[in-house]
Amino acid sequence: MIVRFTTTFTRQNPTPKPITFSSTTKTLTPSPPNTNINHLKQTHANLIRSGQISNPLIVGKLVSDIALSSPSNIIYARSIFDRIAISPNTFTWNSLIRAYSRGPSPIEALRLYLHMQTLGYPPNNYTFPFALKASTESSARAAGLALHGSLIKRGFEDNDVFIQTSLIDFYGSFGFAVLARDLFDRIPDRDVTCWNALMKAYVRSDRAEEAVRAFRAMTRSRPPVRADEITALTVASACGAVGALDVGRWIHGYVGRSRLDLGVNLGTALIDMYAKCGDIDAARAVFEAVRGRGDARAWGAMIGGLAVHGFAREALGLFYDMRTVDPDSVVLTAALSACSHAGLVREGLRILYGMREAYGVEPTIEHYGCAVDLLGRAGRLSEAFELIARMPMEPDVVLWGSLLVACRVHRDVERGERVAKEMLKLDPEHAGAHVFLFNVYASAGEWARAEHVRGSMWDRRVKKPPGSSLIELGGACTDLLRGMRRTLRWVGLRR
DNA sequence: TTGCGTTATA
């Protein structure tokens, strides 16, 4: 195999160029993997010819570039790594750990991290951000905590902003906003990235108001820290989460004023923010500015936004308008949800059954869930059950949950009871399923069974979370009760 | 050689 690359290469390029691929491959990385990997294979061949394959620094870069070019190439990279005749250095280990941490099996990065140490290679300051990323990606909380301990012992906690940012992200991803904040406060020279990580930590801990507050603090900090696209995108998603339309509009204006590039990523975040805050016209306007960029995510945000605003026809029109962009799994979910909201059963089922062939997207449980919701809302409950029986995967609580709502709306007590019982098998503490069963038994006068359900709720300490509504008041969102109190204070009816 | 990144269902 290697020989074949070598001959191809020699025929095309009799005089191999000096090894400058570190800069060329960097620019190649975003291009489609098939073309990219051929270049990398040539580079690999070239290295073998020139004998530089035994240079650990150069091989490390090659391994890294191949592994990062596409997740499917990690195996190829690994095979080179495993064959390095002389012992690999820490750089090479880091490169592979980095690649795995961003690929489909980040846990492999943690295995390598342990492995390098059993072979006597100590991790350095570059190793920890990758290993922490791998812990975050694979939800390996214990591993991340161990890494934190290990890096403290090695004295990296206080003097490396990359490691500190990775730690903020790690704790933030588990919802430990206080720990993230604590780490952040101890960073002497804060750059944009660690501010961004802090804001993201707040968003992930359901404290989006804090994220917005942190953003304001960042703009006022000394020395000044300039916001970048990721700042704007994170703040926009925070605004969407709490419905803070005023701040959302302001960040949109800020993007224009500070000449930040409104690329697809930022555009997608703004579309979603406006849609979630109820300003669908503003969402449409942003979408028009970025729709030509050929990114399925922007389309997904727009189609989904239109669907929840009741513009199902427009959403589907947009979906069928996708010519140059291939719909991804999310776009198809959004299209199905549009059908669901508009009661377009046949259209939705056609999308579900045709998606593999038409778009090459394998239906997931989310797609089946939408279709079950679609049938359920339309009152076609027996068909919903048939679909569940035919699915290639086991139904989850979310899927049963949408069917339970449908059973309640269409007053199908018998099926509802079955669904609620299935849900309690999967999640014995599910509040909604308990309440449903209780109401069914109580309204049928079956007090013994109703009492039994109530007892089980008591034993499991299941509590139905109280419903609440949100309103925006003075640029921030509060729950309705708090908002009303504030309003009453304003008009002088309350102190 | 490094850290932060948006979208969907219920």
Side-chain angles (χ1 to χ4, degrees):
Chain A
M1 191 129 149
I2 290 162
V3 178
R4 204 163 58 226
F5 295 142
T6 318
T7 39
T8 326
F9 184 80
T10 345
R11 228 180 297 137
Q12 288 169 346
N13 292 319
T15 37
K17 284 184 210 139
I19 308 302
T20 52
F21 61 90
S22 59
S23 53
T24 39
T25 46
K26 216 170 193 174
T27 53
L28 281 170
T29 311
S31 65
N34 348 6
T35 56
N36 188 7
I37 192 63
N38 288 336
H39 282 265
L40 290 166
K41 280 175 176 171
Q42 282 201 346
T43 308
H44 183 191
N46 192 11
L47 291 180
I48 295 169
R49 277 189 85 248
S50 62
Q52 298 203 60
I53 197 72
S54 49
N55 181 332
L57 256 151
I58 289 176
V59 177
K61 185 73 181 90
L62 180 71
V63 166
S64 168
D65 284 349
I66 291 175
L68 287 174
S69 64
S70 155
S72 58
N73 293 332
I74 291 185
I75 299 166
Y76 174 31
R78 183 68 183 266
S79 74
I80 301 173
F81 179 82
D82 288 340
R83 274 177 220 177
I84 296 175
I86 52 150
S87 55
N89 60 1
T90 305
F91 166 74
T92 317
W93 285 100
N94 288 348
S95 302
L96 205 57
I97 290 172
R98 175 189 180 205
Y100 274 115
S101 73
R102 293 163 170 277
S105 48
I107 195 96
E108 197 58 36
L110 296 172
R111 272 195 209 111
L112 276 176
Y113 170 81
L114 293 177
H115 193 48
M116 75 186 278
Q117 285 176 87
T118 52
L119 293 181
Y121 297 92
N124 62 13
N125 56 324
Y126 289 91
T127 318
F128 286 105
F130 306 143
L132 282 166
K133 173 84 176 166
S135 314
T136 310
E137 288 298 312
S138 51
S139 310
R141 202 190 321 200
L145 292 172
L147 282 165
H148 192 179
S150 178
L151 69 89
I152 288 175
K153 268 203 306 203
R154 289 164 206 272
F156 288 125
E157 199 199 29
D158 299 320
N159 57 24
D160 189 310
V161 74
F162 285 83
I163 290 176
Q164 287 159 329
T165 304
S166 303
L167 282 171
I168 290 170
D169 185 55
F170 167 73
Y171 285 110
S173 74
F174 288 101
F176 296 138
V178 178
L179 281 171
R181 177 80 212 200
D182 197 52
L183 283 155
F184 176 85
D185 286 339
R186 278 155 45 203
I187 301 178
D189 303 310
R190 295 162 194 156
D191 60 7
V192 220
T193 309
C194 69
W195 277 103
N196 291 347
L198 178 72
M199 290 176 217
K200 187 64 200 164
Y202 279 134
V203 174
R204 270 192 282 210
S205 319
D206 289 323
R207 293 168 64 173
E209 299 94 333
E210 296 277 345
V212 173
R213 202 169 301 158
F215 171 66
R216 291 207 172 113
M218 188 190 96
T219 56
R220 284 193 299 258
S221 67
R222 297 273 153 230
V225 177
R226 269 182 61 82
D228 63 5
E229 280 87 348
I230 292 169
T231 319
L233 180 147
T234 308
V235 175
S237 99
C239 291
V242 291
L245 180 56
D246 282 356
V247 185
R249 279 185 181 139
W250 187 81
I251 192 77
H252 191 182
Y254 181 93
V255 169
R257 281 198 302 279
S258 20
R259 299 181 202 287
L260 289 177
D261 178 37
L262 202 150
V264 255
N265 296 338
L266 180 49
T268 304
L270 287 173
I271 292 167
D272 180 58
M273 182 274 292
Y274 279 125
K276 288 212 171 96
C277 292
D279 192 346
I280 197 72
D281 287 330
R284 283 194 190 102
V286 178
F287 177 70
E288 287 309 316
V290 298
R291 66 179 283 168
R293 307 280 187 97
D295 188 283
R297 291 171 185 228
W299 290 74
M302 191 67 244
I303 294 170
L306 288 168
V308 298
H309 277 269
F311 300 106
R313 271 280 152 223
E314 192 183 341
L316 285 171
L318 212 54
F319 170 65
Y320 292 122
D321 237 25
M322 295 179 75
R323 302 251 177 266
T324 49
V325 192
D326 290 330
D328 64 358
S329 179
V330 176
V331 168
L332 286 158
T333 313
L336 284 168
S337 115
C339 294
S340 192
H341 285 284
L344 303 166
V345 178
R346 282 179 67 184
E347 191 145 10
L349 291 179
R350 221 185 57 217
I351 293 173
L352 176 76
Y353 292 130
M355 57 191 272
R356 180 182 356 218
E357 196 167 330
Y359 312 110
V361 178
E362 196 67 33
T364 63
I365 189 137
E366 285 85 1
H367 300 113
Y368 281 105
C370 284
V372 167
D373 183 59
L374 174 73
L375 289 165
R377 277 179 204 249
R380 292 157 70 164
L381 295 169
S382 64
E383 286 166 76
F385 274 92
E386 282 162 27
L387 180 61
I388 292 175
R390 281 204 311 273
M391 293 185 332
M393 69 285 279
E394 289 299 311
D396 61 3
V397 198
V398 177
L399 189 146
W400 284 124
S402 71
L403 194 52
L404 185 74
V405 173
C407 291
R408 197 174 58 212
V409 169
H410 295 283
R411 300 180 196 284
D412 192 327
V413 172
E414 239 166 77
R415 288 204 177 90
E417 192 183 351
R418 251 169 72 199
V419 172
K421 284 180 175 167
E422 290 293 339
M423 289 172 76
L424 291 177
K425 270 189 223 162
L426 294 170
D427 178 10
E429 289 171 16
H430 198 286
H434 272 110
V435 171
F436 180 88
L437 277 183
F438 177 83
N439 288 338
V440 165
Y441 295 141
S443 59
E446 298 199 34
W447 296 111
R449 295 168 90 178
E451 210 38 61
H452 180 76
V453 175
R454 178 135 284 208
S456 138
M457 285 181 78
W458 183 260
D459 293 343
R460 298 176 199 282
R461 292 177 172 58
V462 174
K463 274 207 181 127
K464 175 84 179 70
S468 64
S469 307
L470 293 174
I471 55 165
E472 193 183 347
L473 198 62
C477 244
T478 45
D479 64 69
L480 197 50
L481 200 63
R482 261 165 61 201
M484 280 168 66
R485 287 193 191 123
R486 267 171 67 186
T487 313
L488 289 174
R489 273 199 296 274
W490 272 354
V491 296
L493 288 172
R494 197 172 196 277
R495 221 153 48 87

